[in-house]
């Protein structure tokens, strides 16, 4: 059944100005189109992107702003042309909700790189000209192409962080063939993204070394996440001992840090993938040229690889480490996220706390 009515029946939490303070907000979603899925949101992960745009860090925030792009929920209504989903299905929505669907990248299932620009799940301009509003809300309407099947045996709270943190590390790992058992992987940073890189690395049969500036993360890296080795990156002796020992490095750190010391840890033809956003990337050409090394950047992933990742996690019992919180704790959660005081992803219980 297609709906053409438009009422302010969606309850969310929104920031009204660059202070980023979130509070209850009522608004309307676009009417359900023939190719759309309307889903009741049960859970939404808390990503650093929520901090960036709620506080206008990029200077392009459009208020009122409802953040959240790690969305899990249940289908409550589908358009007349929808065939992939039915009412009651568990579904996920990630960092984008639309694209041109006609360029070479959309045709290849990597819509996040759409030539005309993918439409962000929040703070983007939707096809009807309205500003998109994210998952800190009761429901959302999305074209079925940008919805993902969540296996019925996979918890929705755990599924939410896969839609950004999970896919951001999974996509480049697959693109650079990091799923070959017996190879060695280095993971820089142990936050929401880094801990997922460790989990994927172990599932792929890799020997995983975690690099962190904080010795306090050692026990969890080794015992909770199953990493094989932990190195304090400021310890020059430990770093030198790993010279030319790694096949791959996934760098999730967004703070500024030197690159040459890590590049020296790669074997000949090793691959360094950057998924964080430091203010600059600087390394000696010799670090790259002398070892035939590859440096690659990446953001999230297309619809094809995202669905593949969700299915992989369900098949191999891979779950993010999460702290489930009520929506009323969202402002404190964002402050804690800035201080890196979370192990390792906040997930908002929308269904039970957004009233």
């Amino acid at each position: 059944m297609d709906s053409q009515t438009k009422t302010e029946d969606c309850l969310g939490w929104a920031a009204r100005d660059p202070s980023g303070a979130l509070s209850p907000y009522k608004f309307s979603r676009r009417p359900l189109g023939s190719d759309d899925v309307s889903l009741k949101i049960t859970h939404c992960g808390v990503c650093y992107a929520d901090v960036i745009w709620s506080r206008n860090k990029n200077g392009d925030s459009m208020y009122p702003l409802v953040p959240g792009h790690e969305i899990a929920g249940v289908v409550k209504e589908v358009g007349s042309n929808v065939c992939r989903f039915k009412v009651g299905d568990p579904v996920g929505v990630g960092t984008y909700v639309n694209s041109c669907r006609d360029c070479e990248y959309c045709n290849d299932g990597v819509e996040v790189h759409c030539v005309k620009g993918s439409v962000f799940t929040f703070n983007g301009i939707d096809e009807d000209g309205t500003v998109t509003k994210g998952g800190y809300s009761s429901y959302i309407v999305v074209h079925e192409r940008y919805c993902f099947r969540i296996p019925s045996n996979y918890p929705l709270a755990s599924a939410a962080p896969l839609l950004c943190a999970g896919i951001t590390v999974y996509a480049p790992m697959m693109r650079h063939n990091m799923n070959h058992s017996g190879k060695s992987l280095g993971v820089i940073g142990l936050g929401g993204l880094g801990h997922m890189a460790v989990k994927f690395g172990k599932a792929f049969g890799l020997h995983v070394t975690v690099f962190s500036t904080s010795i306090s993360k050692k026990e969890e890296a080794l015992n909770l996440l199953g990493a094989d080795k932990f190195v304090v990156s400021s310890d020059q002796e430990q770093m030198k001992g790993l010279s030319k020992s790694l096949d791959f490095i996934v760098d999730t750190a967004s703070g500024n840090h030197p690159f040459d010391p890590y590049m020296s840890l790669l074997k000949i033809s090793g691959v360094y993938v950057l998924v964080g956003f430091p203010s600059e990337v600087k390394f000696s050409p010799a670090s790259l040229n002398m070892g035939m090394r590859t440096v690659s950047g990446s953001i999230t992933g297309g619809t094809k690889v995202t669905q593949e990742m969700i299915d992989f996690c369900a098949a191999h019992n891979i779950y993010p480490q999460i702290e489930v919180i009520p929506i009323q704790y969202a402002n404190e959660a964002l402050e804690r996220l800035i201080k890196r005081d979370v192990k390792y992803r906040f997930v908002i219980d929308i269904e039970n706390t957004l009233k």
Side-chain angles (χ1 to χ4, degrees):
M1 182 175 69
D2 295 352
S3 171
Q4 296 303 318
T5 58
K6 192 171 185 180
T7 58
E8 289 189 350
D9 62 346
C10 191
L11 177 60
W13 274 50
R16 269 71 169 195
D17 56 54
S19 72
L22 301 170
S23 58
Y25 169 63
K26 268 200 162 184
F27 62 100
S28 59
R29 292 288 188 188
R30 64 177 171 84
L32 184 78
S34 58
D35 298 309
D36 288 337
V37 171
S38 176
L39 62 131
K40 181 181 83 169
I41 298 172
T42 62
H43 297 85
C44 186
V46 178
C47 176
Y48 198 77
D50 303 343
V51 174
I52 292 172
W53 275 283
S54 65
R55 303 189 181 197
N56 200 28
K57 299 290 188 182
N58 289 340
D60 62 355
S61 297
M62 295 175 278
Y63 299 101
L65 186 146
V66 179
H69 61 198
E70 295 182 340
I71 299 168
V74 177
V75 176
K76 68 173 187 172
E77 191 177 2
V78 297
S80 58
N81 293 340
V82 172
C83 56
R84 293 176 54 227
F85 302 97
K86 64 182 186 300
V87 173
D89 284 350
V91 291
V93 175
T95 60
Y96 54 95
V97 292
N98 220 328
S99 63
C100 80
R101 298 174 226 151
D102 194 41
C103 69
E104 60 178 305
Y105 302 106
C106 285
N107 288 334
D108 284 343
V110 285
E111 299 88 345
V112 66
H113 298 295
C114 175
V115 167
K116 295 181 180 178
S118 57
V119 177
F120 291 159
T121 301
F122 68 89
N123 202 58
I125 303 298
D126 209 348
E127 59 185 18
D128 64 349
T130 61
V131 177
T132 57
K133 293 177 170 56
Y136 291 24
S137 58
S138 55
Y139 80 98
I140 191 170
V141 177
V142 181
H143 188 287
E144 70 166 328
R145 177 171 180 155
Y146 311 93
C147 296
F148 303 99
R149 295 183 306 277
I150 298 173
S152 57
N153 63 338
Y154 198 90
L156 290 176
S158 297
L162 300 182
L163 278 305
C164 178
I167 190 59
T168 297
V169 293
Y170 183 90
M173 291 177 80
M174 295 303 291
R175 188 166 64 250
H176 294 287
N177 300 311
M178 297 187 191
N179 58 340
H180 288 183
S181 180
K183 298 281 189 175
S184 53
L185 168 71
V187 177
I188 302 173
L190 199 61
L193 276 64
H195 95 286
M196 289 304 300
V198 173
K199 285 176 176 281
F200 287 134
K202 293 307 297 180
F204 293 149
L206 305 180
H207 185 278
V208 179
T209 299
V210 171
F211 296 90
S212 176
T213 57
S214 175
I215 187 66
S216 64
K217 294 190 176 182
K218 180 176 181 178
E219 184 177 344
E220 288 187 352
L222 298 176
N223 299 326
L224 178 65
L225 302 176
D228 300 284
K229 188 178 295 185
F230 181 91
V231 173
V232 177
S233 53
S234 59
D235 188 324
Q236 294 185 10
E237 288 304 309
Q238 285 191 54
M239 294 288 281
K240 286 179 181 177
L242 293 176
S243 178
K244 296 181 180 178
S245 67
L246 302 175
D247 295 289
F248 315 109
I249 290 176
V250 174
D251 185 349
T252 71
S254 284
N256 287 335
H257 57 285
F259 285 79
D260 284 317
Y262 293 113
M263 292 281 283
S264 70
L265 307 183
L266 285 172
K267 294 179 181 178
I268 303 302
S269 299
V271 178
Y272 192 115
V273 170
L274 179 68
V275 295
F277 283 85
S279 62
E280 68 173 8
V281 176
K282 191 175 181 180
F283 54 84
S284 165
S287 291
L288 188 67
N289 300 346
M290 299 300 286
M292 297 194 300
R293 297 176 178 113
T294 297
V295 174
S296 174
S298 194
I299 56 166
T300 63
T303 55
K304 183 178 179 182
V305 71
T306 300
Q307 187 63 62
E308 174 190 303
M309 173 215 53
I310 293 170
D311 294 340
F312 182 84
C313 288
H316 294 83
N317 297 316
I318 298 171
Y319 306 101
Q321 301 297 132
I322 61 175
E323 182 178 335
V324 179
I325 61 170
I327 187 71
Q328 293 78 12
Y329 190 73
N331 288 307
E332 288 85 350
L334 292 175
E335 288 295 335
R336 283 180 56 190
L337 184 59
I338 293 169
K339 299 173 184 174
R340 301 177 185 173
D341 177 25
V342 52
K343 296 175 183 177
Y344 287 89
R345 206 65 160 180
F346 287 119
V347 174
I348 302 171
D349 182 350
I350 299 291
E351 181 177 33
N352 293 311
T353 66
L354 180 61
K355 305 296 183 184

